[in-house]
Amino acid sequence: MRLTLNIWRQPAPDRPGAMATYHIEDISPDMSFLEMLDTLNERLIAEGEEPVAFDHDCREGICGACGLVINGRAHGPERTTTCQLHMRHFRDGDTIDIEPWRAGPFPVLRDLVVDRSALDRIIGAGGYITAPTGAAPEAHAQPVPKAAADTAFEYAACIGCGACVAACPNGSAMLFTAAKVVHLNSLPQGEPEREHRVLAMVEVMDEEAFGGCTHVGACADACPKGIPLAGIATLNREYLRATASGARPA
């Protein structure tokens, strides 16, 4: 395959960036998208040029570090992570635009690498449960109803890649926050922090300047793990419950 790549290049957070065009040949349809970028970088290094910086880790669709906007879509044309996207989804002669996540709370560090620590701070505000220290409790010491376990597992699938934020026209992190809140608030182990959790996490989400949710639905469409859009409604109900109780986020 022969491809034309328009890639965002930015040397540092405080330096301006621009799209750079590269032509690449001999790309196998069986390559992953990241392998294609590796091939480009090998050529750039051999030519004495700076390789394109991009995030990646597991390359197994588990960690979510590989997020890119490909032809205007978070993670590209398939509902999967960028590392699991294969070049057979493109055609010989295609032009591919490759950009970093575009959201104010995700500042560009270099080229396609962004700082997603804002999501970590949301988790840090309430993504935990009260548990006694010392020996681990028996696995079945606190029974969990199957319906609650199923809901928790469904939302625990969120890998925190940030595709929902990148896809949202408002740059909202509501689906991500909902996944974390619904996951823990569905379980009896999460009950002690239930009200504090949702208030604290929404407060930090707002402090990080994520946009507001207007139920466009682009977040759920882009999510590689299929987190349901209905989670946002559950998050809103949890928030109303907590505010009505007079709870405080801290």
Side-chain angles (χ1 to χ4, degrees):
M1 297 172 65
R2 296 183 178 184
L3 302 167
T4 299
L5 307 177
N6 295 323
I7 303 178
W8 182 259
R9 302 302 306 265
Q10 183 172 338
D14 57 349
R15 299 278 299 280
M19 299 296 281
T21 300
Y22 303 95
H23 300 282
I24 189 168
E25 300 180 355
D26 298 326
I27 296 301
S28 168
D30 295 326
M31 281 185 178
S32 73
F33 199 86
L34 297 189
E35 287 175 319
M36 182 273 294
L37 290 178
D38 287 337
T39 300
L40 172 64
N41 278 343
E42 288 173 2
R43 192 191 83 191
L44 292 177
I45 292 170
E47 294 173 352
E49 297 184 38
E50 281 292 322
V52 177
F54 61 93
D55 259 333
H56 63 94
D57 191 7
C58 71
R59 298 202 180 205
E60 295 178 352
I62 298 171
C63 72
C66 57
L68 300 174
V69 175
I70 302 168
N71 287 343
R73 299 185 62 178
H75 286 306
E78 294 294 307
R79 193 177 185 183
T80 186
T81 53
T82 302
C83 65
Q84 294 294 293
L85 176 67
H86 288 83
M87 298 311 297
R88 54 180 167 268
H89 296 294
F90 301 90
R91 294 177 297 180
D92 185 37
D94 273 357
T95 296
I96 305 175
D97 296 332
I98 309 170
E99 303 171 86
W101 285 164
R102 295 294 191 184
F106 294 159
V108 175
L109 299 178
R110 181 182 172 192
D111 296 340
L112 304 175
V113 180
V114 301
D115 180 359
R116 290 179 293 179
S117 59
L119 299 183
D120 296 332
R121 289 188 285 275
I122 293 175
I123 295 175
Y128 57 86
I129 63 170
T130 295
T133 58
E138 291 292 331
H140 299 295
Q142 189 169 11
V144 179
K146 185 178 187 305
D150 289 345
T151 298
F153 271 117
E154 184 173 32
Y155 287 91
C158 171
I159 56 177
C161 67
C164 52
V165 179
C168 176
N170 304 325
S172 174
M174 282 287 280
L175 189 67
F176 167 81
T177 306
K180 303 308 175 184
V181 167
V182 178
H183 166 207
L184 292 176
N185 282 17
S186 298
L187 299 170
Q189 291 90 341
E191 187 65 31
E193 286 83 26
R194 181 174 183 173
E195 294 171 352
H196 161 80
R197 175 178 297 112
V198 64
L199 293 176
M201 294 181 82
V202 170
E203 180 178 75
V204 172
M205 180 184 70
D206 291 340
E207 289 174 353
E208 296 291 340
F210 287 100
C213 174
T214 53
H215 286 274
V216 173
C219 54
D221 287 342
C223 177
K225 298 303 177 181
I227 302 300
L229 185 64
I232 294 176
T234 304
L235 171 64
N236 288 334
R237 287 195 297 270
E238 290 287 328
Y239 188 84
L240 288 174
R241 166 193 161 119
T243 53
S245 73
R248 296 180 179 276

